[in-house]
Amino acid sequence: MHLCVHGLGYVGLATASLFANNGHDVTGYDVDDGVIEAIRTGEPSISDPEFETYVLDALSSGLTASDRPVSADVHFICVPTPYDYEADRANLTYVEQASAAIADVLEPDDVVVLESTVPPGTTQKTLAPILSDSDLSPGVDFDLGYTPETVMPGNTVTEIRTNDRIVGGVDDDSTATIAALYEDIIDGAVHTAPDATTAEFVKLVQNAHRDVNIAYANMLALVAADYGVDVRTAIDLSNNHPRVDILDPGPGVGGHCLPVDPLFLGQDSEETTLIDCARRVNDRMPDYVITRLEDALGTVRGATIAVLGVTYKGNVSDTRNSPGLAIARRLAGHTRSERPLPDGGDNLDVRLHDPVATDPTLALQSQTEALDGADAAVIAASHDQFTDLDPQRVGELLEKRLVVDPLALLDADRWADAGFEVVGL
């Protein structure tokens, strides 16, 4: 079949490559000329070597890029859905634009699949009416449905091929048709939802579940500090119960999914009190890390702080919503925070180092440059390189032997033997 993937970001490129590597003729469409040119020249901007190889294989198997939508048997919508915090709603502009582009080329018996994360009801209430401008009816003249992607950066190739899929259509025939598309090419199971809205709901439930569970661990860190309890020891002991499995606390929650997707559930429902609370807890953690730093230094005014790790999680290059950047920006007074900031932040020198981040807008420094003469270091991402840090070498560079380690990456006893104060959560 001929497939057209609308949106060649992380998810769209993975989806296009999946189908191209399984024998389908795939055209990727994007409005970004830079993205189109990179694909056409065989130089996609990907920091994950395995994923890059997978995309290059797809390009050699027939994946092409276009700066305009094309007719196809199947259309996939894989565009961003940012959250409008002022309006307190998802911004569906990109989904609407992609739907309108498809309506211009839609033909009878085509299939349209939405993969973007969206509020429940989007497929039925937003896509279907726009696509109907083609004078074709969803569920009658063409199939329409939703299936969420669940790939994790750093493990994209494995997960795009092996993760289970949830499929829900606007009618039973649409569900069956879309399910068959995935059954032919993935190793995971394909589960059918009763409708598209349920499938949309499931994706949000999955990410809200993870966010809430992380928030519980982070809340425990805050409470444990009030009692002088080491939170990680308490969690380890608690997890000896056969029905308890508490996660590890950390400096916050980042990425493009967990800090945003749970908010979609509250767009048309007021019954999200727990989710709203979890979001506040996780958003507060960068401030708490700064509080721990201030307590150890006495004050951060006039200090030089090295923030090690500005991606949202270990060993991935994605910096979106990263706790490390939140810590750095709040220290420098560049973003709103719930806690009082140092005077303007201008008297702080905040240095950034990350061995895997690829964001060209960041003024990243080498590890030596970031640490040299700094008063303290904050480790905000669990990169493998940071677990191998040499305390003697770091001690020679830092002005004060102080490291804030909210992820518990370091061997605290080893660093204490080297004269360090290691501050955790």
Side-chain angles (χ1 to χ4, degrees):
M1 290 188 296
H2 182 204
L3 286 64
C4 182
V5 176
H6 298 249
L8 293 176
Y10 199 87
V11 172
L13 195 53
T15 299
S17 299
L18 172 68
F19 282 92
N21 284 327
N22 281 275
H24 292 286
D25 178 18
V26 182
T27 299
Y29 161 63
D30 202 283
V31 297
D32 188 327
D33 292 337
V35 170
I36 297 300
E37 182 62 22
I39 293 174
R40 284 177 174 173
T41 58
E43 298 178 351
S45 179
I46 301 171
S47 59
D48 179 344
E50 184 183 23
F51 186 26
E52 181 179 13
T53 299
Y54 193 63
V55 173
L56 293 176
D57 288 344
L59 291 172
S60 66
S61 298
L63 170 61
T64 59
S66 173
D67 58 2
R68 64 190 62 190
V70 299
S71 297
D73 300 306
V74 184
H75 294 271
F76 291 92
I77 300 176
C78 303
V79 296
T81 48
Y83 195 76
D84 185 337
Y85 289 92
E86 291 187 5
D88 200 23
R89 300 184 70 81
N91 181 348
L92 296 176
T93 300
Y94 300 118
V95 171
E96 293 166 350
Q97 290 173 346
S99 302
I102 293 171
D104 288 340
V105 296
L106 194 63
E107 298 177 3
D109 299 324
D110 284 353
V111 181
V112 180
V113 183
L114 176 62
E115 286 200 358
S116 304
T117 303
V118 292
T122 299
T123 301
Q124 189 69 59
K125 297 177 183 178
T126 301
L127 262 70
I130 296 174
L131 293 170
S132 296
D133 289 342
S134 64
D135 292 330
L136 301 175
S137 298
V140 178
D141 301 308
F142 66 94
D143 292 319
L144 172 64
Y146 179 81
T147 181
E149 59 77 23
T150 57
V151 297
M152 180 176 67
N155 197 35
T156 302
V157 175
T158 297
E159 296 206 352
I160 196 72
R161 295 184 301 195
T162 64
N163 283 3
D164 288 4
R165 284 278 179 167
I166 309 294
V167 175
V170 296
D171 68 314
D172 290 344
D173 286 344
S174 293
T175 300
T177 298
I178 297 170
L181 283 174
Y182 290 97
E183 286 171 345
D184 286 343
I185 63 170
I186 68 169
D187 296 328
V190 177
H191 307 276
T192 57
D195 48 51
T197 300
T198 301
E200 294 162 339
F201 187 80
V202 167
K203 171 62 184 289
L204 304 178
V205 167
Q206 291 170 335
N207 283 342
H209 173 269
R210 295 166 64 201
D211 194 43
V212 168
N213 278 271
I214 294 169
Y216 180 63
N218 285 335
M219 182 208 70
L220 290 179
L222 302 176
V223 174
D226 290 336
Y227 290 97
V229 169
D230 180 84
V231 66
R232 294 182 188 278
T233 298
I235 288 175
D236 287 345
L237 291 170
S238 298
N239 284 342
N240 286 303
H241 190 289
R243 292 179 294 281
V244 174
D245 185 16
I246 304 169
L247 303 179
D248 292 322
V253 174
H256 65 294
C257 290
L258 298 197
V260 178
D261 294 359
L263 301 176
F264 290 11
L265 281 172
Q267 180 157 306
D268 294 312
S269 174
E270 297 181 356
E271 306 300 331
T272 57
T273 305
L274 180 61
I275 291 171
D276 298 338
C277 181
R279 283 280 76 242
R280 289 195 297 272
V281 170
N282 288 334
D283 283 345
R284 178 187 173 189
M285 294 311 292
D287 288 337
Y288 183 62
V289 172
I290 295 174
T291 297
R292 298 289 286 162
L293 172 66
E294 284 183 312
D295 290 344
L297 277 178
T299 179
V300 294
R301 291 190 178 93
T304 298
I305 309 298
V307 177
L308 308 184
V310 295
T311 64
Y312 85 89
K313 64 179 294 184
N315 305 317
V316 301
S317 62
D318 194 340
T319 60
R320 286 176 291 181
N321 299 309
S322 85
L325 281 181
I327 291 167
R329 288 168 176 163
R330 292 176 188 183
L331 277 171
H334 293 162
T335 59
R336 181 177 61 83
S337 172
E338 294 181 1
R339 64 186 299 283
L341 286 166
D343 295 339
D346 294 334
N347 54 0
L348 274 105
D349 180 10
V350 182
R351 303 172 182 173
L352 307 180
H353 166 70
D354 195 295
V356 299
T358 56
D359 187 342
T361 67
L362 298 176
L364 298 177
Q365 297 178 286
S366 70
Q367 188 179 111
T368 297
E369 290 170 335
L371 292 171
D372 192 16
D375 294 291
V378 178
I379 301 178
S382 54
H383 298 320
D384 290 342
Q385 293 93 326
F386 295 158
T387 62
D388 297 329
L389 286 171
D390 180 4
Q392 297 298 338
R393 173 59 177 160
V394 174
E396 292 171 359
L397 293 170
L398 287 178
E399 189 71 22
K400 301 174 183 177
R401 296 201 171 204
L402 172 63
V403 176
V404 178
D405 180 19
L407 293 159
L409 294 182
L410 306 180
D411 182 333
D413 291 337
R414 179 187 176 209
W415 284 71
D417 291 342
F420 272 86
E421 180 183 2
V422 178
V423 178
L425 293 178

